[in-house]
Amino acid sequence: MEVQLQRSFTIPSPPKNTDPTELPLTVFDRFASNIYIAVLFAFSPPTPTNSHLIGALSETLHLHFPSFTARLTPSHLVLAADPGGALVVEAAVASSLEYHLPLLPSPEFALLHPPTEGASHLLQVQLNRFRCGGLVVGISAHHRIADGQTMSAFYVAWGRISRGLPVDPVPTYDLSWLTPRSPAKLEFEHWGTEFIADDDLSVHPNNFIDPGETSNVLLQYSEDYITTKLKLELKGKFSTFEVLLGHLWRKITQARGLAAGEETMIRVSVNGRQRLRPPVPKEFIGNLVMNAYPTAKAGDLIAGGLASAAQIIRLAVRRIDDGYIRSFIDFGEVHKEEDLVPVYDRYGNLLSPNLEVDSWLGFEFQEVDFGGGGALRAFLPTWVPMDGLVILLPRFGEGGGVDVVVALTKEHAENLKKISHSL
């Protein structure tokens, strides 16, 4: 893929009338991975001009997402401060978009968004114009300012403003739900679960792998396959997420060839908005994600069947309820002056025998529309140079279903492709 960068500039933070404003990071922000998340949206022509999209982006940021233009410190977001703003890059691609469709994971995708290594802006956008007039919007955002729910709201809002429509519901930064209890009740152990419990931040060398030894595969599960193959076996007792993840967990365990007595764990991201009582509106901007940790011995996982795997996942996810999240909020209040280090900082890019799973099924990525008449042809995370990451996406096109991006070592990825749909 030949990509020519044409120009880059910064959309400034909203005009300031006072000194820079500091917003403390919540305990959920501090728990989020200290990384950028990069995604691609592909649109067939005709599409709005770059100047139109950039104007709509500027309006979206200034009106509803000023935190995306802030500067990040270990404990705060600093608004209206240098080097703030959002980076925008305009680029031209020599080939036609149709040549690259359907989009399949490829290291070339890194050319379609600004580099995240050493980035100084929390939001980076690259507008890639293809020879045919097609457009791929490459976006990377720092996880400490937004979780998946927030990014979904941002993409949809940008599209609505681009089409001249009001943003509804209006994003909110209301943190009234974050009020800790008095006295604090630390009812669960959060050291070692969410934050590192000691001063040893070293990562074992066995947790690293050469990125060149990894592979990303896209597995496609139609609604018919999920309903008539997987769910039919379980007589409808489990959700699509529980059934499909249970199936994937077992297949990846087999593809890795784990020993029967080896323990395998999934780190599952859980959106806390609907789990708090009362629920937090989905338009809340920021981070509100916890992790669940389904765990099993490899031999038991395979021998127990799909129903057992789905049940293990269900019980672990349900543990992240109002009580657990309130305990975590109180933990954040008790330790707010400390340098909290999330457990992610102990992980390398080789997670085997474990997995990290992010489900984007409940978000509205497929609703993103910038106008102009072109169709959204694909949505995909960019290449992930690691082993053990699984991302569930809503499938585009007729028939529905779920697309799954799986990052594994090359050998295990090839094994998985052979058995991914076997029962």
Side-chain angles (χ1 to χ4, degrees):
M1 184 183 298
E2 182 181 341
V3 181
Q4 181 182 5
L5 303 183
Q6 297 177 319
R7 72 164 181 148
S8 63
F9 60 95
T10 299
I11 294 178
S13 301
K16 62 177 183 178
N17 298 318
T18 60
D19 292 334
T21 302
E22 292 191 351
L23 300 177
L25 297 180
T26 71
V27 68
F28 296 92
D29 298 330
R30 298 170 76 182
F31 174 55
S33 301
N34 188 24
I35 60 173
Y36 283 81
I37 307 297
V39 299
L40 304 174
F41 291 90
F43 297 89
S44 59
T47 58
T49 64
N50 281 7
S51 60
H52 178 86
L53 290 171
I54 293 165
L57 174 60
S58 178
E59 184 176 345
T60 304
L61 293 171
H62 288 184
L63 289 180
H64 300 296
F65 296 87
S67 60
F68 285 22
T69 67
R71 176 168 56 85
L72 180 65
T73 75
S75 59
H76 289 77
L77 285 175
V78 185
L79 300 175
D82 294 329
L87 177 67
V88 177
V89 176
E90 295 179 273
V93 183
S95 49
S96 295
L97 178 60
E98 288 293 334
Y99 176 79
H100 302 280
L101 294 176
L103 287 187
L104 298 175
S106 167
E108 286 187 320
F109 285 170
L111 300 173
L112 299 177
H113 64 81
T116 57
E117 191 71 29
S120 57
H121 298 88
L122 300 181
L123 178 70
Q124 303 184 132
V125 176
Q126 185 166 315
L127 303 176
N128 302 280
R129 293 285 173 180
F130 286 70
R131 185 176 63 189
C132 62
L135 170 69
V136 169
V137 182
I139 306 169
S140 61
H142 200 288
H143 203 342
R144 292 254 163 102
I145 61 166
D147 56 17
Q149 182 76 64
T150 290
M151 292 310 301
S152 172
F154 165 70
Y155 301 139
V156 172
W158 182 11
R160 291 186 66 85
I161 288 179
S162 179
R163 299 187 334 263
L165 301 174
V167 175
D168 183 31
V170 176
T172 176
Y173 289 84
D174 178 28
L175 290 174
S176 58
W177 56 271
L178 192 61
T179 303
R181 294 170 293 190
S182 182
K185 299 177 183 178
L186 305 187
E187 299 165 298
F188 298 89
E189 182 56 76
H190 301 289
W191 289 120
T193 305
E194 283 87 22
F195 292 102
I196 294 173
D198 54 53
D199 296 329
D200 180 13
L201 304 184
S202 62
V203 180
H204 195 281
N206 289 345
N207 291 348
F208 283 100
I209 187 174
D210 185 330
E213 298 179 21
T214 62
S215 179
N216 288 194
V217 297
L218 180 65
L219 305 176
Q220 298 179 317
Y221 293 93
S222 68
E223 185 64 36
D224 180 68
Y225 178 87
I226 295 170
T227 302
T228 64
K229 301 295 185 182
L230 299 181
K231 284 190 174 181
L232 186 63
E233 176 186 343
L234 306 183
K235 298 180 173 57
K237 294 180 180 179
F238 297 94
S239 68
T240 294
F241 171 76
E242 293 163 344
V243 168
L244 185 53
L245 181 53
H247 176 76
L248 290 163
W249 191 13
R250 299 177 74 238
K251 292 304 171 184
I252 294 172
T253 297
Q254 290 176 314
R256 284 170 161 172
L258 298 182
E262 192 165 8
E263 191 171 82
T264 171
M265 176 267 289
I266 314 177
R267 188 168 70 238
V268 182
S269 296
V270 179
N271 188 343
R273 288 167 176 78
Q274 293 302 305
R275 296 176 181 273
L276 278 166
R277 293 292 177 266
V280 175
K282 68 177 185 178
E283 55 267 25
F284 163 71
I285 301 305
N287 283 290
L288 213 176
V289 169
M290 305 292 299
N291 284 340
Y293 298 95
T295 305
K297 294 288 182 63
D300 296 338
L301 183 66
I302 302 305
L306 181 55
S308 174
Q311 180 69 5
I312 293 170
I313 292 166
R314 169 178 287 184
L315 293 177
V317 170
R318 287 186 174 179
R319 180 173 177 265
I320 309 302
D321 57 10
D322 179 78
Y324 190 91
I325 299 174
R326 295 290 176 193
S327 175
F328 185 65
I329 292 171
D330 289 356
F331 174 90
E333 176 66 16
V334 171
H335 300 282
K336 63 182 179 182
E337 302 300 329
E338 300 178 30
D339 183 19
L340 296 176
V341 179
V343 292
Y344 300 113
D345 287 10
R346 292 291 296 273
Y347 302 136
N349 68 341
L350 179 62
L351 301 184
S352 184
N354 301 322
L355 296 172
E356 177 178 336
V357 174
D358 298 319
S359 174
W360 296 353
L361 298 179
F363 304 145
E364 299 178 324
F365 297 119
Q366 68 271 29
E367 303 300 323
V368 175
D369 180 4
F370 294 112
L376 177 60
R377 299 293 303 279
F379 166 73
L380 206 64
T382 59
W383 184 264
V384 181
M386 68 180 298
D387 162 89
L389 180 65
V390 179
I391 302 176
L392 280 65
L393 309 162
R395 245 189 118 191
F396 284 83
E398 297 182 4
V402 179
D403 283 347
V404 184
V405 175
V406 183
L408 291 173
T409 64
K410 288 183 176 179
E411 177 187 359
H412 297 159
E414 288 302 314
N415 293 341
L416 178 63
K417 284 191 285 186
K418 296 173 185 176
I419 63 174
S420 62
H421 287 69
S422 68
L423 300 174

